[in-house]
Amino acid sequence: MVQKVHADAEAALAGLLFDGMTVMAGGFGLCGIPENLIAAMRLAGVRDLTVISNNCGIDGFGLGILLESGQIKKMISSYVGENKLFEKLYLSGELELEFNPQGTLAERIRAGGAGIPAFFTKTGVGTLVSEGKEIRNFDGDDYVMERGLVADLSIIKAWKGDTEGNLIYRKTARNFNPMMATAGKACVVEVEHLVESGQLDPDHIHTPGIYVDRIIAGARFEKRIERVTTRPRDTAPGKEAV
Amino acid sequence: MVQKVHADAEAALAGLLFDGMTVMAGGFGLCGIPENLIAAMRLAGVRDLTVISNNCGIDGFGLGILLESGQIKKMISSYVGENKLFEKLYLSGELELEFNPQGTLAERIRAGGAGIPAFFTKTGVGTLVSEGKEIRNFDGDDYVMERGLVADLSIIKAWKGDTEGNLIYRKTARNFNPMMATAGKACVVEVEHLVESGQLDPDHIHTPGIYVDRIIAGARFEKRIERVTTRPRDTAPGKEAV
Amino acid sequence: MAWTREDMAARAALELQDGFYVNLGIGIPTLVANYIPDGMSVTLQSENGMLGMGPFPFEGEADADLINAGKQTITELAQSSYFSSSDSFAMIRGGHINLSILGGMQVAENGDLANWMVPGKMVKGMGGAMDLVAGVRRVVVVMDHCEKTGAPKVLKRCNLPLTGAGVVDLLITDLGVFEIDRKVGGMRLTALATGVSLDEITAKTEAEFVVAL
Amino acid sequence: MAWTREDMAARAALELQDGFYVNLGIGIPTLVANYIPDGMSVTLQSENGMLGMGPFPFEGEADADLINAGKQTITELAQSSYFSSSDSFAMIRGGHINLSILGGMQVAENGDLANWMVPGKMVKGMGGAMDLVAGVRRVVVVMDHCEKTGAPKVLKRCNLPLTGAGVVDLLITDLGVFEIDRKVGGMRLTALATGVSLDEITAKTEAEFVVAL
């Protein structure tokens, strides 16, 4: 019987890493990132990575630790905003960076996993993003052709997973994880709660196990929050202070 | 406050029907079909319909009743198999029929709802399906360009829905319903269980309410089964007789 | 003498491997599920939106919301999951299914497959077959070697509308087994059914093939 | 005299309608949520994968798995739902969101918007802004009328890299309100901020505009 469950992040990545590889990493900001697998990649020391991820963590956490160690050669992302080192390395030319609109990035990954080599979108027409790409008019509007994206490896974070690799995400920690699970030649997942097959309702599964090659219960989840924004208890509930 | 909940199928379709319109109808075979809304369309007598649906029901049930009444001018489907009248009308030329591979049909509808006017797929290359369409080579393989599909109206069946239009489907009755909900200019849904907003777990919602314009608790669900296939009680459980 | 439907299903089951995700077509391919070896884990996909298809329900327990792509009532297993048709075919088109076993009307020596219509006579529609043969990593066709009239079905070129061009990897008929190199084209006969001679299968096959028994 | 950030948010809130699904950008647009009229039902979308965004959590109740697109902790409401980034942008790109209110660095008289980078100096990335302006049915930009240096930001043509070409329907600044015909091009000044004269706004605007007060 094929065994998807591995003991820890190091074991789950064994044999899958090589210099120059392309890796997709789930998460939006620090929300829903595979923090245990990222830490294991840092320890493994694999280099010249092309990393596909909406952001690149922050200084000292998330993918930021792979930037600091110089393991990343190129990022394919939509947003740099919260990471000073990321912005600095890019502006100084030390890091290649391919900017994708967030929705185009999400759709390229979904297309890659779905066997769609290219699609047309209105996003980015008339901007830097569409330069050098085919523009085509459909029914009176211009669209740009974007290509599907795949990776050698996708590293994913889910809330619950079972031994068959079926996954359920929690709240906005879902984000890029489901598409990335489909677009890696190999897919390794860390979950907060690893359960036996049969414990997840088949109607609630977000990522079917077919996409998951290896799964671990994460040893430790720091789950840092970038911007803890709260309201005092005496605020009236409802629409204020959104 | 905008009110999505309507009293019955007739009320939910009021003002949305016109001759010559294009309608998407969810379901696979008779599984997950909007039977109350189909019956109301029959009663409304709207004609010259182009219907996008994987199948066309069976003789006397589901979309089959709109075939019998002569309300359908054209079908866009992947399978005719179980409907004798459908096959007969097509072979005699009385019904236009555009065959789409099932996955291409599903993806065209998903694309229509997602603002993607066209995409490339390997499905159907070298067959009748790709005739007259653009073929393009990506990375050594040929793909055919397929267009997104939208409709004037989509009629959908879900298991549970709330007053905001959030939907949850049950088992394989999900099928084409979620994509179709996104690709109709208007979307009307019938559910078996209509609940108050807040009764559905936000992580379990398959179709967010933004896609749903009108919703009803179906008056009556016949839920016919095309092929009741069972095994006797003394069969050993497991892999036999799948 | 030749292979029965059960024999053909049993032969097709030799293509299964532990951990495989497999889509089985209607007819003989469905029977393959009965020949999954003990201890081997194979997950069946149903293209209408399910992974982990279980056996038929017990009498009286059929659920209208739980059918397979052949519209038969089925059951779920511990590992089952449900998804939409677009997600199902994203899985198929994206190459995530290891093996597709399906029926055929005609197979040609270049790997072409026809199984969805006879112009002017019979039209079922392609359903998911075109997506399966285009997207699944390995495609196995199981069919009778000849028409009931005796006309050959294993041809130099299909004369019925294609389901896919150059898509078949392995052909299992009641008379034998052929490997097909779908990139270059070309068939190799790798097994004869019980009691079938090389002369017989050669006589009943229009396609050119190399003998590699 | 001119409008404050709160005044601008209040003016932007006049664009809301009952039943609208709305995406609010970071900064002043976020404040618009405070001006939703009583009895009006407006559902806020957060492009990282949520519909029905609620207020900030009470102290001590922040949830790391529940943030908005500005990475702030938020809460859910009775009608909330979660979805993936691809589903979120399918919703945006597919034209299902009624209104997008976002900030800007420059807006041109043809409806062009720049708000994501200053070459060689500042780079944030476009995030979801390019998708929002391309896909949402109506796009409202809220920004200061001029740079801190006094340089105009309402221009004949943007000189920063664009976020979208011909995408802005309405521009609200601290000095006034402009409607933009993004098909034909052309701005119409429809309101002046409190205490702002036509002379002042004309002097501080590079773009050509028609006065329609």
Side-chain angles (χ1 to χ4, degrees):
Chain A
M1 295 278 290
V2 172
Q3 179 58 264
K4 294 187 178 184
V5 178
H6 283 62
D8 55 30
E10 190 187 350
L13 292 174
L16 297 178
L17 303 179
F18 57 94
D19 292 348
M21 73 187 300
T22 299
V23 180
M24 287 181 182
F28 177 89
L30 300 182
C31 183
I33 62 171
E35 46 182 287
N36 290 282
L37 292 164
I38 292 169
M41 289 191 67
R42 165 83 179 242
L43 284 174
V46 59
R47 304 191 69 82
D48 293 326
L49 299 172
T50 294
V51 176
I52 301 168
S53 185
N54 189 61
N55 312 79
C56 195
I58 59 169
D59 300 294
F61 194 64
L63 289 171
I65 67 173
L66 300 183
L67 269 186
E68 287 169 7
S69 58
Q71 290 173 263
I72 300 177
K73 185 184 67 176
K74 178 179 178 180
M75 290 294 306
I76 299 178
S77 302
S78 88
Y79 202 73
V80 170
E82 277 80 28
N83 190 320
K84 294 270 179 254
L85 180 63
F86 191 0
E87 187 172 358
K88 178 180 156 291
L89 289 174
Y90 170 58
L91 289 173
S92 69
E94 292 165 79
L95 179 74
E96 287 178 65
L97 173 55
E98 178 189 314
F99 268 125
N100 279 223
Q102 195 173 145
T104 296
L105 181 62
E107 189 65 17
R108 291 183 67 195
I109 297 165
R110 192 246 173 216
I116 292 173
F119 60 91
F120 289 91
T121 173
K122 209 182 280 186
T123 300
V125 170
T127 77
L128 287 180
V129 160
S130 67
E131 281 182 12
K133 295 176 186 164
E134 175 175 333
I135 305 290
R136 189 187 295 214
N137 195 288
F138 292 98
D139 304 325
D141 285 314
D142 282 341
Y143 296 83
V144 56
M145 191 177 83
E146 295 281 1
R147 297 295 308 273
L149 266 180
V150 293
D152 297 305
L153 172 68
S154 54
I155 54 175
I156 300 302
K157 156 78 195 309
W159 180 49
K160 287 185 179 175
D162 70 18
T163 51
E164 297 279 337
N166 292 306
L167 306 179
I168 293 178
Y169 307 96
R170 184 170 176 272
K171 302 187 188 288
T172 58
R174 193 183 314 184
N175 55 65
F176 280 84
N177 286 295
M179 302 88 76
M180 287 186 174
T182 71
K185 281 177 206 157
C187 172
V188 180
V189 180
E190 61 182 68
V191 297
E192 293 186 56
H193 304 281
L194 182 60
V195 301
E196 285 302 310
S197 171
Q199 296 300 301
L200 304 180
D201 185 327
D203 276 324
H204 298 164
I205 289 167
H206 297 129
T207 293
I210 190 172
Y211 293 113
V212 175
D213 296 295
R214 302 181 183 181
I215 187 167
I216 58 165
R220 169 164 179 271
F221 288 97
E222 207 173 321
K223 293 181 74 168
R224 283 200 214 170
I225 300 176
E226 275 178 82
R227 296 184 183 172
V228 179
T229 320
T230 58
R231 59 189 159 128
R233 293 246 164 217
D234 55 357
T235 306
K239 61 186 196 259
E240 288 81 9
V242 167
Chain B
M1 296 278 290
V2 172
Q3 178 59 263
K4 294 187 178 184
V5 179
H6 284 61
D8 55 29
E10 189 187 351
L13 292 175
L16 297 177
L17 303 179
F18 57 93
D19 291 348
M21 73 187 301
T22 300
V23 179
M24 285 180 184
F28 177 90
L30 300 182
C31 183
I33 61 171
E35 46 181 289
N36 290 281
L37 292 164
I38 292 169
M41 290 193 65
R42 165 84 178 241
L43 284 174
V46 60
R47 303 191 70 79
D48 293 326
L49 299 172
T50 294
V51 176
I52 301 168
S53 185
N54 188 61
N55 312 78
C56 196
I58 59 170
D59 300 295
F61 194 64
L63 289 171
I65 67 174
L66 300 183
L67 268 187
E68 286 168 10
S69 59
Q71 290 173 264
I72 300 178
K73 184 183 68 176
K74 179 179 177 180
M75 290 294 306
I76 299 178
S77 302
S78 89
Y79 202 73
V80 170
E82 277 81 27
N83 190 320
K84 294 272 178 252
L85 179 63
F86 191 178
E87 187 173 357
K88 177 181 156 291
L89 290 174
Y90 170 60
L91 288 173
S92 69
E94 292 165 80
L95 178 74
E96 286 177 66
L97 172 55
E98 178 189 313
F99 268 124
N100 279 223
Q102 194 175 144
T104 296
L105 182 62
E107 189 66 17
R108 291 183 67 194
I109 296 164
R110 193 246 172 213
I116 292 173
F119 61 90
F120 289 90
T121 173
K122 209 182 283 186
T123 301
V125 170
T127 77
L128 287 179
V129 160
S130 65
E131 280 183 13
K133 295 175 185 166
E134 175 175 334
I135 305 290
R136 189 188 294 216
N137 195 287
F138 291 99
D139 305 325
D141 286 314
D142 281 342
Y143 296 83
V144 56
M145 191 177 85
E146 295 280 0
R147 298 295 307 274
L149 266 180
V150 293
D152 297 306
L153 172 67
S154 54
I155 53 175
I156 300 301
K157 155 79 196 307
W159 180 47
K160 287 185 180 176
D162 71 18
T163 51
E164 298 278 338
N166 292 306
L167 306 179
I168 292 178
Y169 307 96
R170 184 170 176 274
K171 303 188 189 286
T172 57
R174 193 183 314 183
N175 56 65
F176 280 84
N177 285 294
M179 302 87 77
M180 288 185 173
T182 72
K185 283 179 205 156
C187 173
V188 180
V189 180
E190 61 182 69
V191 296
E192 292 187 56
H193 304 282
L194 181 60
V195 301
E196 286 302 309
S197 172
Q199 296 301 299
L200 304 181
D201 185 325
D203 277 323
H204 298 165
I205 289 166
H206 297 129
T207 292
I210 190 172
Y211 293 112
V212 175
D213 297 295
R214 302 181 183 181
I215 188 168
I216 58 165
R220 168 166 179 271
F221 288 97
E222 206 173 321
K223 294 180 73 168
R224 283 199 213 170
I225 300 176
E226 276 178 81
R227 295 186 184 171
V228 179
T229 321
T230 59
R231 57 186 160 131
R233 292 244 164 221
D234 57 357
T235 305
K239 60 185 196 260
E240 288 80 11
V242 166
Chain C
M1 283 284 288
W3 277 336
T4 62
R5 288 162 54 89
E6 294 291 338
D7 293 334
M8 292 159 74
R11 175 59 189 82
L14 297 180
E15 304 301 313
L16 302 172
Q17 293 180 29
D18 192 34
F20 262 24
Y21 292 87
V22 177
N23 186 292
L24 300 178
I26 298 168
I28 300 174
T30 302
L31 302 175
V32 174
N34 298 336
Y35 295 92
I36 300 172
D38 285 334
M40 182 184 282
S41 167
V42 169
T43 303
L44 301 180
Q45 201 245 20
S46 190
E47 66 264 29
N48 52 317
M50 182 185 200
L51 266 175
M53 187 165 46
F56 297 138
F58 289 122
E59 287 165 18
E61 295 184 357
D63 183 338
D65 289 340
L66 183 43
I67 65 171
N68 65 18
K71 279 94 175 179
Q72 298 170 314
T73 48
I74 49 169
T75 55
E76 69 187 28
L77 302 172
Q79 73 267 31
S80 298
S81 58
Y82 300 105
F83 32 84
S84 72
S85 299
S86 59
D87 286 343
S88 181
F89 284 94
M91 192 180 286
I92 289 167
R93 197 188 308 104
H96 303 283
I97 308 280
N98 299 92
L99 182 66
S100 171
I101 303 178
L102 71 171
M105 295 175 182
Q106 297 180 340
V107 169
E109 64 191 45
N110 61 357
D112 289 359
L113 169 67
N115 76 351
W116 73 282
M117 81 176 297
V118 181
K121 280 192 194 159
M122 185 284 296
V123 57
K124 308 190 293 184
M126 68 290 281
M130 284 193 181
D131 308 280
L132 285 160
V133 298
V136 172
R137 293 184 220 163
R138 183 168 167 82
V139 173
V140 175
V141 171
V142 181
M143 67 177 194
D144 287 336
H145 202 87
C146 297
E147 302 280 358
K148 290 203 178 76
T149 62
K153 297 174 58 163
V154 185
L155 305 171
K156 289 187 192 300
R157 288 291 176 273
C158 297
N159 50 51
L160 292 175
L162 296 187
T163 304
V167 295
V168 180
D169 294 292
L170 191 76
L171 169 64
I172 299 168
T173 76
D174 51 332
L175 301 188
V177 180
F178 298 86
E179 287 176 6
I180 301 178
D181 183 332
R182 61 177 176 173
K183 288 288 177 194
V184 182
M187 296 181 79
R188 295 168 69 243
L189 175 67
T190 60
L192 286 170
T194 320
V196 173
S197 68
L198 183 57
D199 284 351
E200 180 186 353
I201 202 167
T202 305
K204 292 179 173 173
T205 305
E206 182 198 289
E208 299 283 342
F209 59 87
V210 172
V211 178
L213 294 169
Chain D
M1 283 284 288
W3 278 334
T4 63
R5 287 163 55 89
E6 294 290 339
D7 293 334
M8 292 158 74
R11 175 58 189 80
L14 297 180
E15 304 301 314
L16 302 172
Q17 293 180 28
D18 192 32
F20 261 24
Y21 292 87
V22 177
N23 185 291
L24 301 178
I26 298 170
I28 301 174
T30 302
L31 302 175
V32 174
N34 299 336
Y35 295 91
I36 300 171
D38 284 335
M40 182 184 282
S41 165
V42 169
T43 303
L44 301 181
Q45 200 247 20
S46 191
E47 66 265 28
N48 53 320
M50 183 185 198
L51 266 175
M53 189 167 43
F56 296 137
F58 290 122
E59 286 165 19
E61 295 184 358
D63 182 338
D65 289 338
L66 184 42
I67 65 172
N68 65 18
K71 279 94 175 178
Q72 298 170 314
T73 47
I74 50 169
T75 55
E76 68 186 28
L77 302 172
Q79 74 266 32
S80 298
S81 59
Y82 301 104
F83 33 83
S84 72
S85 298
S86 59
D87 285 344
S88 180
F89 284 95
M91 193 180 282
I92 289 167
R93 195 188 311 104
H96 303 282
I97 308 280
N98 299 92
L99 182 67
S100 170
I101 304 178
L102 72 173
M105 294 175 181
Q106 297 179 338
V107 169
E109 63 191 47
N110 59 358
D112 288 358
L113 168 67
N115 76 349
W116 73 282
M117 81 177 295
V118 181
K121 278 191 193 163
M122 185 285 294
V123 57
K124 305 191 294 182
M126 68 290 282
M130 283 193 182
D131 308 280
L132 284 161
V133 299
V136 173
R137 293 184 219 164
R138 183 168 165 82
V139 173
V140 174
V141 171
V142 181
M143 67 176 193
D144 289 334
H145 202 88
C146 297
E147 302 281 357
K148 292 204 176 75
T149 62
K153 297 173 57 160
V154 185
L155 305 172
K156 288 186 192 303
R157 288 291 177 273
C158 298
N159 50 50
L160 293 174
L162 296 187
T163 304
V167 295
V168 181
D169 294 292
L170 192 77
L171 170 63
I172 298 169
T173 76
D174 51 332
L175 302 188
V177 180
F178 297 86
E179 287 176 5
I180 300 178
D181 184 332
R182 60 176 174 171
K183 288 288 178 194
V184 184
M187 297 181 77
R188 296 167 70 242
L189 175 68
T190 59
L192 286 170
T194 321
V196 173
S197 68
L198 183 57
D199 283 350
E200 180 185 354
I201 203 168
T202 305
K204 292 179 174 172
T205 305
E206 183 197 285
E208 299 282 342
F209 60 87
V210 172
V211 178
L213 295 168

